[in-house]
Amino acid sequence: MKWTQTLIPTLREAPADAEIVSHKLLLRAGLIRKLAGGVYTFLPLGLRALRKVEQIIREEMDRAGAIEVLMPALQPPEIWEASGRAETASNVLFKVKDSSGRQWFLSPTAEEVITTLAANEINSYRQLPKNFYQISLKFRDEIRPRFGLMRAKEFIMKDAYSFDATDEGAMASYQKMYDAYTRIFARCGLKAFPVEADTGVIGGNYSHEFMVPAETGENEVVFCEACGYAANLEKATSGIPKTAAREVGPALEKFATPGVVTIEALSKEPYKVPANRQIKTLVFIADSKPIIILIRGDDQLNETKLLAKTGAVAARPATPEEILPLLGAKPGSLGAVVNVPGDVKVFADERLQGANDMTTGANEDGFHFKHVSIERDLKVTAWFDLRTVTAGEPCVKCAKPLNIRRAIEVGHVFKLGTKYSEALNATFLDVDGLRKPSVMGCYGIGVTRTLQAIIEQGNDKDGVIWPLSVAPYQVCITPLTVAPDSQAMQLAEKFYAELTARGVDVILDDRDERPGVKFKDSELVGFPIRIGLGEKSLAKGEVEIKPRNGAMQFVKIEAAVEAVLGLAA
Ligand code: ATP
Ligand code: MG
């Protein structure tokens, strides 16, 4: 490709709305352009890199035995009603109407479509296992699209869905995808690692996310350097001890705490109740019903765990206006010892199990109870692990201190079980003559997000540093004079032809620009190898070979092609 023939609109400055380095570089290197918030056009170079990522994914999916299909973006709501997700995923669904008034959903994912297909096409255990995948546009009505391709309203996802006759078969399919993902990200030059994950609204019971460590990542990952335990903070647990039991203390006692509405205030003079001897009482509205959550004063509620453990689809903190008529007090004086309506469930964090001599609100403004013994004085509906892990806590597996770091989720594998196959009737006749639902798994990779994660991980002050495997072009030939009869341009054409013939992706910067401009642009776009053809070196019979991420080498003209092939291998 000749530079003048394609479109590479590099920018000196990134537009102000680009906050993170990879978003800035996608724009500055002329890889994408914004049409609207969360909606982008891929320019020629961005598209080339994207296609390479897709190709790596395709090869590894094929190698793992998955088969490619292409499903429609327009999905009838009926299949979403059948799976129950018309409601639970409603907030991300783009809903459109056709001219007859019929409603459609724009595909945010495709469990319902593929399960419908399987229901019709798979009838016997002899056809199993099967794993279908596609690489296609997905649409999600993200409230806050941001960071360019990282969180877009329209993006490309590879989604795969496995169907197995047995649970063990499903586990094997899952493992194949897990291994394929490990290879895919490695081939993309990405340091991505798997972590245990919450299964969220998609359902299922076993799941890993593939995470790329990055300060700008939207996820927090808890990990143990010593034993390798790693989990999304939404799901992570630790080996932190339960609350220490005390000698059975005096009976429950109400005391006045005028104006005290925070854990901190109660921990100070004159009360001096340490946060770890306080019970924090939270009221949430879960699927439109109030629930009470008890957690230790020095702990934080993990809302993802709350949903996962209670099975609620959605939960939000109740407002003071909702709380007052329910418990008779305002936030700051809440507790679960008295005044809890019989139909309100109380969920308590396991760290409070067996705790005694605790302090909690009295459901009366300006009053608290002390010497509260949880098992004796309040009624807990169910105990769950509901707290958020913090750095330094002992690892749940090996007790060494845990770390927390930010990361970008690029892929997600789930074991789904039979949730969708039962709902949508994807059954098969088993070897024993019985009709059974297929055991499913689903596996996603954010292809466009992966592309941006590669840039987030590979860059320096001058621009992108592409891995060879996904660079839009591997080699940029930069003649410093472009007159057709100049030695530089003639050699450039010769190298271009030879390298192209040897299977290398080459771009020839044939612009009549100052050397500084050309060098800056090639660094900004980040081609892994640059061949510089300048008069000074050519006079010595040499060319300049500059790996994007390494030192300049001067190589004899005759040896140049082999040298580049060595670097591009
Ligand atoms: P997130 O938690 O980031 O919203 P998710 O868990 O909802 O993502 P999945 O349903 O697991 O996403 O989708 C599979 C993959 O698609 C994700 O791992 C991610 O890489 C990508 N992805 C999801 N939402 C977006 C988005 N809005 N823009 C770009 N990529 C996305
Ligand atoms: Mg996910």
Side-chain angles (χ1 to χ4, degrees), residues 140 142 149-153 155 157 209 219 409-412 414 444-446 448-449:
R140 290 191 186 180
E142 301 280 358
L149 307 175
M150 289 290 188
R151 184 165 299 285
K153 281 184 180 281
F155 58 97
M157 193 205 286
E209 286 162 337
N219 290 269
E409 176 196 329
V410 285
H412 201 162
F414 293 87
I445 291 182
T448 40
R449 187 185 283 182

Side-chain angles (χ1 to χ4, degrees), residues 356-369:
N356 60 356
D357 201 14
M358 303 293 284
T359 297
T360 189
N363 279 345
E364 186 179 337
D365 289 342
F367 288 91
H368 279 77
F369 282 120

